Amino acid sequence: MAVPVFADDAVASAGSAGGGAGGAGGGAGGTGSATVAETSVTVKGIKGFDDKKYNTIQDAYNAISHEVAKLAGLEENTCLDEAFNGLYTDGGKITWTIKGKQTYSKEDNEYLFTFGRAAARYNDNSYITAVNIIGGDETAELVLERNVKLPYDWWGNENNKMSASFSNLTITAGKDLGNIGTAPNFGYKLNINYNNCVLNGKFYSYWDRELNMTFENCTFNAPENTQYAIFAQGLGAGKFVVNNCNFNNYTRGVNFQKAKTNFEFTNNTIKSTVSEPDHGAVQITDGESFVVTGNTIDVNGGNAFLFHSAATNDKVTYTINEIKAPYLACDDTTFGVSDKITALGNIYNDTDTVNCMKKDATEPSKSAVTALQGVAQIGDKYYSSLKAAVGAVSDSATIKLLSD
């Protein structure tokens, strides 16, 4: 899924100890040798290092961290704006570009991607503002034995809005990692983006302050017996967007549980041959609003949607269309969701729209989510109101009424 960026055809040669021609044992100057995939790391945003190339992320860290430490230490010490701008050349942004396979080890510094600096703040005007990790070619892969940790900030600070971006990259959870995730210890509003990435594992997010998170054009692949591709929780507000992504063989799918967050789940495809029979591919637990449109759900068991009993926000609104699954929707909330749903133009393929599978059930029961069932049909499209169907019908089409 990762695609080439940064057209750079140079063959890697530089390491932390000054590179070396041909490595151990030398070689015949490379003349006539076979071309091999490059494994390299470059860093942008630190003065004096933009044109350097390293074999590993550890080599880059070892070369640069002492320069970062010279500025104001690696904890919470401060410096003047002039000194900060003298080291950080891109407004506090740090951009890593990797080619080939890199492993972020359990033994590495937990703040490796900020070169050991634990605090984002240097003074009230100067901050580390972003950590970007970019794949430099189609082989770029970051194996996580520990998760990327962002620098922390002061509680109550409103000046800095930290961002992290991952793009054109395969991200693989190490054997003992558990969940893939990105967060600091505490602090500021967060903006986190994953674009054109392959994620092998489960992504988990918990953040109690404002969080704006986006997954765009990503593919999620499940290790065996993995329930969720994305599980988002927390008390903070913000926006959580998943668009044009593919989800492969998770036993459930995605789970959204942030009562103050606006969720958009659009134009995605969920496919699974190992779905649990009593859950949902899209578990809508809690949120301020949900827009779930343009998705294809092709699973061999359970519901397309599960509205979970843990929901607390009874003022939530839902906009849902275009789905297919064995069963349509199960409502386990205490307040009922059917009258909060706007559904239009749904497409169902071999889907039972009347019944559902409740948690721990072995047989289907009648669904309370009548708003999704539709009252009219044109071709293979179902409409939740006759007015909507009349507005969509062409001269040669026929409207079929599904209820009185």
Side-chain angles (χ1 to χ4, degrees):
M1 187 70 177
V3 297
V5 293
F6 298 105
D8 180 2
D9 296 324
V11 177
S13 61
S16 60
T31 303
S33 61
T35 301
V36 296
E38 180 179 353
T39 300
S40 66
V41 176
T42 59
V43 176
K44 178 184 177 183
I46 305 295
K47 184 178 180 180
F49 294 94
D50 283 1
D51 59 346
K52 306 294 184 183
K53 187 179 290 187
Y54 305 93
N55 287 330
T56 66
I57 57 174
Q58 290 80 9
D59 289 345
Y61 169 84
N62 290 335
I64 300 174
S65 61
H66 67 279
E67 293 298 324
V68 173
K70 287 180 184 177
L71 177 63
L74 296 177
E75 296 298 329
E76 300 178 359
N77 291 345
T78 61
C79 69
L80 297 176
D81 292 340
E82 182 178 1
F84 177 88
N85 294 328
L87 178 67
Y88 291 94
T89 59
D90 194 21
K93 298 178 185 176
I94 301 171
T95 300
W96 295 70
T97 301
I98 70 174
K99 294 182 179 181
K101 186 175 182 178
Q102 298 288 330
T103 298
Y104 184 27
S105 167
K106 290 182 288 187
E107 287 72 39
D108 289 332
N109 187 290
E110 61 181 337
Y111 295 107
L112 180 144
F113 292 98
T114 51
F115 306 104
R117 175 72 182 189
R121 179 183 180 274
Y122 281 84
N123 63 55
D124 286 344
N125 302 309
S126 297
Y127 295 84
I128 298 173
T129 57
V131 175
N132 304 317
I133 304 176
I134 299 172
D137 64 11
E138 61 186 3
T139 70
E141 180 180 7
L142 183 61
V143 178
L144 298 176
E145 293 183 1
R146 66 188 309 164
N147 276 312
V148 175
K149 193 171 186 179
L150 303 176
Y152 62 81
D153 204 352
W154 276 251
W155 284 115
N157 172 59
E158 298 295 334
N159 292 347
N160 193 29
K161 295 181 181 179
M162 183 74 184
S163 70
S165 177
F166 303 81
S167 58
N168 305 315
L169 186 65
T170 293
I171 301 171
T172 300
K175 181 169 63 76
D176 300 321
L177 177 68
N179 302 322
I180 299 171
T182 306
N185 280 339
F186 55 84
Y188 33 65
K189 302 173 182 178
L190 279 175
N191 296 289
I192 299 178
N193 300 291
Y194 288 79
N195 183 50
N196 199 38
C197 289
V198 175
L199 290 95
N200 298 316
K202 170 187 174 181
F203 185 91
Y204 179 73
S205 169
Y206 189 100
W207 191 239
D208 281 340
R209 296 204 68 193
E210 183 177 324
L211 170 65
N212 296 301
M213 180 169 282
T214 300
F215 293 90
E216 186 90 23
N217 303 319
C218 292
T219 294
F220 293 78
N221 297 315
E224 188 175 5
N225 297 321
T226 301
Q227 292 180 330
Y228 297 112
I230 300 173
F231 192 174
Q233 292 183 306
L235 303 179
K239 191 173 185 179
F240 201 108
V241 176
V242 183
N243 180 58
N244 200 35
C245 294
N246 294 289
F247 301 86
N248 299 313
N249 260 17
Y250 292 85
T251 65
R252 298 184 184 179
V254 296
N255 186 351
F256 302 130
Q257 188 179 3
K258 292 171 67 69
K260 298 178 181 178
T261 291
N262 296 293
F263 288 94
E264 294 181 8
F265 189 77
T266 56
N267 307 312
N268 303 293
T269 299
I270 298 179
K271 292 186 176 182
S272 179
T273 60
V274 293
S275 295
E276 298 178 31
D278 60 340
H279 280 79
V282 180
Q283 183 168 313
I284 297 175
T285 302
D286 224 355
E288 185 72 21
S289 68
F290 291 90
V291 175
V292 184
T293 67
N295 303 290
T296 297
I297 299 173
D298 187 0
V299 297
N300 70 334
N303 308 286
F305 300 101
L306 173 64
F307 299 90
H308 198 271
S309 58
T312 60
N313 186 356
D314 62 0
K315 295 180 175 58
V316 66
T317 58
Y318 310 91
T319 303
I320 296 173
N321 73 352
E322 297 189 17
I323 57 176
K324 65 175 183 174
Y327 297 95
L328 181 56
C330 179
D331 182 6
D332 283 339
T333 67
T334 58
F335 48 81
V337 300
S338 192
D339 63 348
K340 305 176 189 300
I341 292 175
T342 300
L344 177 64
N346 294 294
I347 301 173
Y348 305 131
N349 185 3
D350 297 325
T351 298
D352 187 337
T353 65
V354 176
N355 297 305
C356 69
M357 287 294 289
K358 290 187 174 291
K359 288 177 63 178
D360 301 322
T362 57
E363 297 292 334
S365 57
K366 193 165 185 177
S367 173
V369 189
T370 57
L372 285 174
Q373 293 174 8
V375 299
Q377 179 181 357
I378 304 172
D380 61 357
K381 288 191 176 183
Y382 292 75
Y383 295 83
S384 57
S385 71
L386 180 58
K387 179 180 179 182
V390 170
V393 70
S394 64
D395 291 340
S396 60
T398 301
I399 298 174
K400 179 181 179 181
L401 297 180
L402 303 176
S403 61
D404 295 334

